[in-house]
Amino acid sequence: MRLLFGSASPNLIAETLARMGPGEPVVVVSEFAPDGVEWIPYHVHRSAEDNQALILATLGTRRIAEGGVILDPTVPHDVLRELGNAMLGANARLFDETGATQPWRHATRRVWQSVRRQTAVIGRLLRDPRELRLSALYRVVTKRGPVLAAARASIAAPKPAPPPPRASPW
């Protein structure tokens, strides 16, 4: 049997199942039930130990011939990915939106996507001075805001009443 940990959108799970091809039956561990395969629900509000116990109880004595973990950046279930890597060990195949991948290739792709996203933002700021001015003003206001709030609080705070006069001992 093949076990697939699907921390991904239902469409990406279906695409990954198609890429895996025919062979032994597939069991999918994911948050939502995919079509046409056995499904073990992953409960996001339960601990990793509870989910692992559910998976092991559902699988019973079946042997895992092959396993995979889907790495989808749009679904942030890191606990499910870690659970898949722990249960499958070194035999885990990794899949992302481009197909089968390696950990270093996946990490490199994510870093380059982040760099491209950040350079696009910086490029937009440099091309349009109004955007740069708004960004600078935003930073000034966020730094100045707490100072102004503290000053207003000290001005608006009522002064304590003077103590009552003491009676003369004579």
Side-chain angles (χ1 to χ4, degrees), residues 69-159:
V69 178
I70 300 177
L71 307 170
D72 184 4
T74 62
V75 181
H77 292 312
D78 292 334
V79 177
L80 177 59
R81 294 179 191 137
E82 291 169 6
L83 183 62
N85 286 326
M87 288 185 70
L88 299 172
N91 297 331
R93 291 177 53 195
L94 301 178
F95 298 92
D96 62 9
E97 65 275 8
T98 62
T101 188
Q102 298 296 322
W104 61 270
R105 187 174 294 155
H106 178 74
T108 304
R109 185 178 302 113
R110 294 290 172 250
V111 167
W112 278 113
Q113 287 173 347
S114 176
V115 166
R116 281 194 296 267
R117 215 174 11 255
Q118 292 300 319
T119 54
V121 169
I122 292 169
R124 189 184 76 239
L125 289 175
L126 293 176
R127 278 191 307 272
D128 189 0
R130 291 176 300 180
E131 293 279 343
L132 186 59
R133 180 174 180 271
L134 283 176
S135 179
L137 287 174
Y138 172 77
R139 291 183 194 332
V140 167
V141 168
T142 55
K143 287 190 173 145
R144 183 93 172 118
V147 173
L148 289 175
R152 285 186 188 127
S154 67
I155 292 171
K159 294 183 179 176

Side-chain angles (χ1 to χ4, degrees), residues 16-48:
T16 304
L17 289 171
R19 285 187 186 120
M20 289 178 80
E24 296 189 32
V26 178
V27 178
V28 176
V29 178
S30 68
E31 190 176 0
F32 302 105
D35 295 330
V37 294
E38 184 181 349
W39 171 59
I40 301 175
Y42 172 78
H43 301 281
V44 293
H45 296 295
R46 292 188 185 169
S47 68

